[in-house]
């Protein structure tokens, strides 16, 4: 058996992963953490961190030792009051996690999405035709935001009014997984109003008769979840399903704008759209981090993590770990990105991943048929968020195919 | 074009090792199954079953009845069926500790849904899926009772484990108490009470008759039909990728996904355990040997898709839409 080092030999750093400098460009810090060791102490927050693929993968899959119900952010729900009632999926452990997960997996599964495919492809073509009226545009807002906001709320069955609340709500939610820094404080004045709107949309009466929302309520009628759980399960779609795909789509557009030869490859082989999106999710990791809490004293790669301690998993760093990936910093369609942890891994692995892939496939296919070449028109700007690798703008210049 | 190796690593159909084989009642053995190299086993929840392909080539379904907080061990209970067509007889007479069995699933058609109250009714070996349900009901503090019938006390497995639950458990061997008193246990439907029943056909028939006019979702049953499954092949098979115009051979020690990757055909995958559904592929011809945790029986019967990270072929040849 491996012996456990006294934890005082554990590499330690006072870096703040949530500082503006790191959020602007997290890659140097991630590389330093990976080099420092399999487990590193973040002295500023008094927590452990993992940045190598092997340990991140192990912690993600070992739900028995690393729980989610004490919160998947820095805040430890054992001692601190969560800012909203915890998610029944993301912030739940078995057995409570089972039923909501089983219900959503079916509703968001590939076979259930087949009925949306043709519509989403048509929507993507329409949007792209509209946007391509200009040669230069901001792809962050006009494509990466517009497309999910056009198809996803309809698929859930939300009313039209108030949809502008979705992105700010998600932005706050993903900030709130980090420390109570400026990003969180700036959002705080609006939370009550945003939350009230979101909670209101989760009620059965406010959802269309068909759609993911209605399907969740129908599952409650069958008794697969309780009627009390239904609105919170709907809430998980409104929380996790918008900002993530927006920044995921922006990531893949940025990748192609900066890798013209890869764009040519996609145009020749449009069947690579799904691979391209997952490669971009690996390469940019729109969701950068999540936390877990040790349920017992755990020995991980020679470090003893005591029961109740928080562990920060750097998904983005794992996805660029040279121990696991050949040339990890390269965006490359001939790579098989399978096994990346950008959607997580294990029982909490993104239940919406097929939705995200379908959105991406629709948008990329429409673009590949119409755009010969795309490039950055100006330097894109990041949007800082404690969890998301996000975009403020992505100015593109495109040349339409003849 | 060669594919790079990826972090998820090689994925082949999982084989389990019989780590222990224990007689627990007359005609009932439990098998403790582990990964031959001590890896985690795929996650499951109460009500789940696995397909085990035995060294004799037969595939049989068994409910998982261990503790899922131990990620390294599965436990199944196996009754020697009087009219067995070989599966249970093989396990009772020939399967030894150290033997290997191939795993399909776990799958769950009998999930425990949240409820403040549960009534569990087991007949004989039907106790197996209910054991982890009971442990879970106890864990979440639900109000529950178990009625457990069997031929005679000596034939009823797990009485020692159930003893710990005290008077929440009613043990009713037929030679002492006669047939189960279903009328006392199933008086009228209640929205706050879910009934879970597993056991031999006649018991399930009786319970379903009694609850025929109950609202949907209150009674949940599981029936294992000893379906005549095509014996699973252990030899290589051919896969034709129709759109790519590629044909390849999948040897027994490789997954379809691996074989396709080796042949340079990209198929995106993620969990490589038949759980996440990322690698779903359309089947144009041939009969898949499904080993995933995703498709239900009806979807399997359609035979129009498979998950190449774990599933294989019953026929000599599979044609895929790739
Ligand atoms: C590119 C887009 C997306 C990315 C990068 C992403 C990323 C993730 C990650 C990393 C997790 C795992 C969390 C953990 O292990 O603690 C997760 C979980 C989850 N995602 Fe996504 N996601 C995306 C899109 C979506 C969409 C479109 C939906 C809804 C339709 C969604 C709904 C969820 C939910 C409900 C969970 C919690 C699942 C559970 O705990 O069982 N996500 N996502």
């Amino acid at each position: 058996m491996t012996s456990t080092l006294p934890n005082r030999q554990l590499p330690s750093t006072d870096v703040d992963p949530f500082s503006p400098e790191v959020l602007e460009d997290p890659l140097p810090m991630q590389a330093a953490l990976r080099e420092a060791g399999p487990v590193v102490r973040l002295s500023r927050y008094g927590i452990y961190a993992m940045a190598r693929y092997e340990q991140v993968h192990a912690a993600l899959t070992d739900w028995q030792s690393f729980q989610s119900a004490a919160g998947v952010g820095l805040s430890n729900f054992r001692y601190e009051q969560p800012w909203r009632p915890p998610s029944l999926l993301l912030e739940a452990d078995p057995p409570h996690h089972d039923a909501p997960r089983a219900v959503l997996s079916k509703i968001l599964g590939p076979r259930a999405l087949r009925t949306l495919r043709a519509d989403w492809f048509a929507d993507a073509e329409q949007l792209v035709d509209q946007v391509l009226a200009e040669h230069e545009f901001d792809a962050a807002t006009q494509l990466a935001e517009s497309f999910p906001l056009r198809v996803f709320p309809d698929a859930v069955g939300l009313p039209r009014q108030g949809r502008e609340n979705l992105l700010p709500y998600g932005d706050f939610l993903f900030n709130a997984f980090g420390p109570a820094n400026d990003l969180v404080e700036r959002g705080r004045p609006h939370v009550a109003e945003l939350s009230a709107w979101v909670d209101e949309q989760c009620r059965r009466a406010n959802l269309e008769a068909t759609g993911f929302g209605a399907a969740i309520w129908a599952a409650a009628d069958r008794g697969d979840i309780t009627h009390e759980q239904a609105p919170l399960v709907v809430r998980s779609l409104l929380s996790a399903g918008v900002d993530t795909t927006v920044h995921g789509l922006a990531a893949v557009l940025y990748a192609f704008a900066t890798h013209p030869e890869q764009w040519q490859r996609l145009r020749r082989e449009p069947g690579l759209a799904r691979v391209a999106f997952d490669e971009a999710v690996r390469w940019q990791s729109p969701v950068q981090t999540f936390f877990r809490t040790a349920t017992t004293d755990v020995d991980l790669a020679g470090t003893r993590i005591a029961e109740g301690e928080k562990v920060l998993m750097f998904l983005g760093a794992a996805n660029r770990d040279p121990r696991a990936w050949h040339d990890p910093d390269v965006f490359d369609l001939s790579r098989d990105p399978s096994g990346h942890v950008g959607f997580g891994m294990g029982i909490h692995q993104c239940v919406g991943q097929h939705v995200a892939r379908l959105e991406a496939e629709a948008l990329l296919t429409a673009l590949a048929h119409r755009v010969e070449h795309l490039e950055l028109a100006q330097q894109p700007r990041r949007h800082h968020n404690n969890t998301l690798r996000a975009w403020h703008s992505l100015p593109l210049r495109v040349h339409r195919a003849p | 074009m060669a594919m790079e190796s990826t972090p998820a690593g090689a994925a082949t159909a999982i084989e389990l090792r019989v780590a222990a084989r224990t007689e627990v009642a007359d005609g009932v053995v439990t098998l403790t199954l582990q990964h031959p190299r001590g890896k985690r086993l795929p996650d499951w929840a109460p009500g789940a079953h696995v397909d085990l392909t035995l060294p004799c080539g037969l595939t049989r379904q068994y409910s998982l009845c261990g503790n899922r907080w131990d990620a390294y061990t599965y436990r199944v209970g196996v009754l020697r069926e009087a009219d067995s067509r070989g599966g249970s007889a093989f396990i009772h007479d020939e399967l030894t500790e150290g033997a290997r069995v191939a795993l399909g699933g776990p799958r769950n058609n009998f999930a425990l849904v949240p409820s403040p109250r549960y009534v569990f009714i087991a007949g004989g070996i039907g106790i197996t899926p209910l054991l982890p349900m009971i442990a879970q009901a106890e864990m979440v503090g639900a109000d529950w009772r178990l009625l457990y019938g069997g031929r005679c006390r000596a034939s009823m497995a797990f009485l020692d484990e159930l003893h710990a639950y005290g008077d929440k458990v009613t043990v009713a061997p037929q030679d002492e108490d006669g047939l189960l008193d279903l009328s006392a246990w199933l008086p009228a439907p209640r929205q706050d009470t879910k009934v879970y029943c597993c056991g031999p056909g006649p018991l399930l028939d009786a319970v379903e008759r009694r609850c025929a006019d109950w609202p949907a979702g209150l009674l949940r049953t599981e029936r294992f039909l000893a379906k005549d499954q095509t014996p699973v092949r252990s030899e290589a098979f051919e896969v034709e990728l129709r759109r790519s115009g590629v044909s390849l051979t999948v040897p027994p020690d490789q997954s379809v996904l691996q074989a396709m990757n080796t042949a340079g055909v990209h198929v995106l995958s993620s969990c490589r355990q038949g759980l996440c559904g990322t690698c779903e592929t359309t089947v144009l011809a041939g009969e898949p040997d499904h080993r995933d945790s995703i498709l239900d029986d009806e979807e399997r019967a359609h035979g129009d898709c498979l998950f190449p990270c774990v599933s294989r072929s019953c026929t000599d040849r599979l044609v895929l839409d790739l």
Side-chain angles (χ1 to χ4, degrees):
Chain A
M1 291 268 86
T2 52
S3 64
T4 302
L5 288 175
N7 281 1
R8 65 191 138 74
Q9 289 180 22
L10 184 69
S12 174
T13 164
D14 67 352
V15 71
D16 180 2
F18 307 99
S19 65
E21 302 71 44
V22 173
L23 293 179
E24 183 62 28
D25 179 10
L27 301 182
M29 178 210 64
Q30 291 177 356
L33 289 176
R34 275 194 308 260
E35 285 317 302
V39 181
V40 182
R41 187 84 180 158
L42 297 186
S43 56
R44 187 179 296 255
Y45 296 111
I47 57 171
Y48 296 96
M50 300 182 270
R52 294 186 185 173
Y53 182 88
E54 186 185 338
Q55 282 74 36
V56 170
H57 186 278
L60 282 168
T61 43
D62 184 1
W63 57 266
Q64 289 91 344
S65 308
F66 296 104
Q67 68 162 174
S68 293
V72 295
L74 179 61
S75 168
N76 192 327
F77 294 177
R78 296 184 188 187
Y79 320 110
E80 290 168 76
Q81 174 83 14
W83 70 274
R84 61 172 200 175
S87 165
L88 300 183
L89 286 111
L90 190 65
E91 295 159 328
D93 296 329
H96 304 284
H97 177 257
D98 299 338
R101 174 80 195 191
V103 163
L104 264 196
S105 302
K106 201 92 187 167
I107 294 173
L108 303 178
R111 270 168 317 288
L113 300 183
R114 281 181 194 164
T115 54
L116 293 172
R117 192 177 173 88
D119 283 350
W120 285 14
F121 271 64
D123 276 328
E125 286 174 14
Q126 229 178 45
L127 175 69
V128 166
D129 278 335
Q130 212 176 303
V131 171
L132 291 186
E134 306 287 338
H135 288 290
E136 284 190 24
F137 54 86
D138 177 12
T141 48
Q142 299 210 53
L143 292 175
E145 274 184 21
S146 284
F147 185 58
L149 283 177
R150 181 174 175 136
V151 295
F152 185 70
D154 280 351
V156 175
L158 292 187
R160 302 227 150 254
Q161 194 142 32
R163 291 182 180 187
E164 68 281 0
N165 291 317
L166 287 167
L167 285 174
Y169 180 77
D171 192 46
F172 182 81
L173 166 74
F174 282 102
N175 273 326
F177 292 123
N181 57 13
D182 282 357
L183 292 171
V184 175
E185 290 312 323
R186 250 180 276 151
R188 224 182 269 289
H190 315 286
V191 192
E193 198 185 324
L194 294 169
S195 283
W197 180 81
V198 165
D199 293 346
E200 184 65 18
Q201 310 318 306
C202 299
R203 293 177 40 211
R204 187 170 217 165
N206 290 325
L207 292 160
E208 295 288 334
T210 57
F212 301 149
I216 290 168
W217 279 97
D221 291 344
R222 288 193 307 273
D224 293 347
I225 50 173
T226 66
H227 283 103
E228 293 70 47
Q229 290 177 316
L232 281 176
V233 176
V234 179
R235 194 192 68 181
S236 70
L237 299 185
L238 306 190
S239 307
V242 191
D243 299 63
T244 47
T245 43
V246 167
H247 299 298
L249 292 173
V252 74
L253 294 173
Y254 171 71
F256 280 122
T258 51
H259 295 76
E261 72 296 343
Q262 300 295 321
W263 182 250
Q264 293 319 315
R265 172 116 195 244
L266 180 72
R267 294 199 66 214
R268 285 195 309 274
E269 301 173 60
L272 285 177
R274 277 160 53 88
V275 171
F277 181 61
D278 268 65
E279 169 66 349
V281 170
R282 179 197 70 79
W283 185 63
Q284 286 289 307
S285 300
V287 173
Q288 288 272 300
T289 46
F290 268 125
F291 295 70
R292 293 288 190 265
T293 308
T295 56
T296 160
D297 294 349
V298 189
D299 289 328
L300 196 81
T303 298
R304 162 69 52 96
I305 297 172
E307 194 262 338
E309 300 240 35
K310 279 271 169 182
V311 179
L312 171 48
M313 306 174 296
F314 284 96
L315 310 182
N319 282 338
R320 287 182 182 237
D321 182 355
R323 292 162 195 79
W325 305 93
H326 181 63
D327 273 346
D329 294 329
V330 177
F331 171 78
D332 181 1
L333 297 197
S334 45
R335 181 199 306 281
D336 180 0
S338 306
H340 71 72
V341 291
F343 288 119
M345 198 54 78
I347 62 167
H348 292 281
Q349 194 189 30
C350 185
V351 71
Q353 60 183 299
H354 309 293
V355 174
R357 289 199 186 101
L358 186 59
E359 287 181 22
E361 200 185 345
L363 188 64
L364 289 177
T365 306
L367 284 166
H369 287 142
R370 288 167 178 75
V371 173
E372 195 163 72
H373 176 77
L374 70 166
E375 65 198 17
L376 295 178
Q378 286 166 43
Q379 199 49 38
R381 281 175 53 204
R382 292 282 178 181
H383 168 78
H384 291 188
N385 180 287
N386 283 333
T387 303
L388 300 172
R389 189 135 160 79
W391 302 82
H392 175 76
S393 65
L394 181 61
L396 293 190
R397 184 178 308 116
V398 298
H399 301 274
R400 284 201 69 142
Chain B
M1 170 191 55
M3 299 292 298
E4 278 162 6
S5 65
T6 66
T12 43
I14 300 178
E15 258 200 352
L16 302 180
R17 195 175 64 87
V18 178
R21 180 186 172 288
T22 317
E23 310 260 348
V24 293
D26 286 354
V28 181
V29 296
T30 59
L31 302 179
T32 302
L33 304 170
Q34 292 173 344
H35 191 282
R37 291 192 304 289
K39 293 197 194 171
R40 280 181 70 92
L41 300 180
D43 292 308
W44 60 281
H49 69 267
V50 290
D51 296 295
L52 297 182
T53 303
L54 305 170
C56 59
L58 289 170
T59 297
R60 290 290 179 266
Q61 302 184 332
Y62 298 104
S63 297
L64 291 173
C65 63
N67 169 15
R68 64 173 157 154
W69 270 263
D70 171 2
Y72 299 88
T73 306
Y74 286 164
R75 183 175 75 160
V76 296
V78 182
L79 170 72
R80 178 194 284 278
E81 306 274 357
D83 53 352
S84 168
R85 282 195 314 283
S88 75
F90 182 88
I91 290 178
H92 276 261
D93 300 335
E94 293 181 54
L95 195 70
T96 53
E97 290 179 3
R100 303 291 169 95
V101 294
L103 170 73
R107 291 195 293 147
N108 201 335
N109 305 320
F110 193 37
L112 188 66
V113 298
S115 177
R117 296 160 59 98
Y118 300 100
V119 170
F120 298 109
I121 300 177
I125 197 66
I127 189 66
T128 48
L130 301 188
L131 283 179
M133 292 190 185
I134 287 167
Q136 180 156 316
E138 186 73 6
M139 177 180 209
V140 301
D143 179 5
W144 64 271
R145 291 181 306 147
L146 166 70
L147 174 61
Y148 180 17
R151 236 177 340 97
C152 61
R153 217 167 261 277
S155 72
M156 296 172 67
F158 310 113
L159 290 177
D160 49 342
E161 286 173 33
L162 292 168
H163 188 70
Y165 296 118
D167 61 5
K168 292 180 186 172
V169 175
T170 302
V171 177
Q174 198 174 337
D175 62 351
E176 297 172 28
D177 301 341
L179 286 176
L180 295 181
D181 182 6
L182 294 178
S183 56
W185 279 71
L186 300 170
R190 287 177 52 152
Q191 275 305 333
D192 69 351
T193 307
K194 304 283 185 293
V195 178
Y196 279 80
C197 180
C198 186
L203 171 66
L204 292 171
D205 294 342
V207 168
E208 280 171 2
R209 255 195 322 272
R210 181 164 290 279
C211 304
D213 54 1
W214 285 22
L218 294 186
L219 170 68
R220 293 175 184 240
T221 58
E222 180 156 73
R223 233 176 242 275
F224 282 116
L225 303 173
K227 268 179 299 194
D228 240 333
Q229 282 170 318
T230 318
V232 171
R233 58 186 302 125
S234 50
E235 321 87 75
F237 52 93
E238 296 295 312
V239 172
E240 179 191 332
L241 309 176
R242 183 65 51 86
R243 277 187 285 133
S244 328
V246 173
S247 279
L248 45 97
T249 304
V250 183
D253 61 343
Q254 262 197 355
S255 67
V256 177
L257 188 71
Q258 272 181 324
M260 294 193 299
N261 278 350
T262 311
V265 177
H266 280 278
V267 175
L268 191 67
S269 68
S270 181
C271 75
R272 302 200 175 177
Q273 292 194 323
L275 279 169
C276 73
T278 301
C279 62
E280 180 173 319
T281 301
T282 301
V283 177
L284 300 173
E287 191 190 329
D289 167 13
H290 295 289
R291 307 268 180 106
D292 62 88
S293 303
I294 302 163
L295 301 178
D296 59 30
D297 289 341
E298 204 175 311
E299 292 166 326
R300 286 184 172 205
H302 280 299
D304 62 347
C305 71
L306 99 167
F307 300 91
C309 65
V310 290
S311 297
R312 308 185 67 79
S313 181
C314 295
T315 41
D316 293 343
R317 196 176 147 75
L318 274 183
V319 183
L320 303 181
D321 187 21
L322 280 172

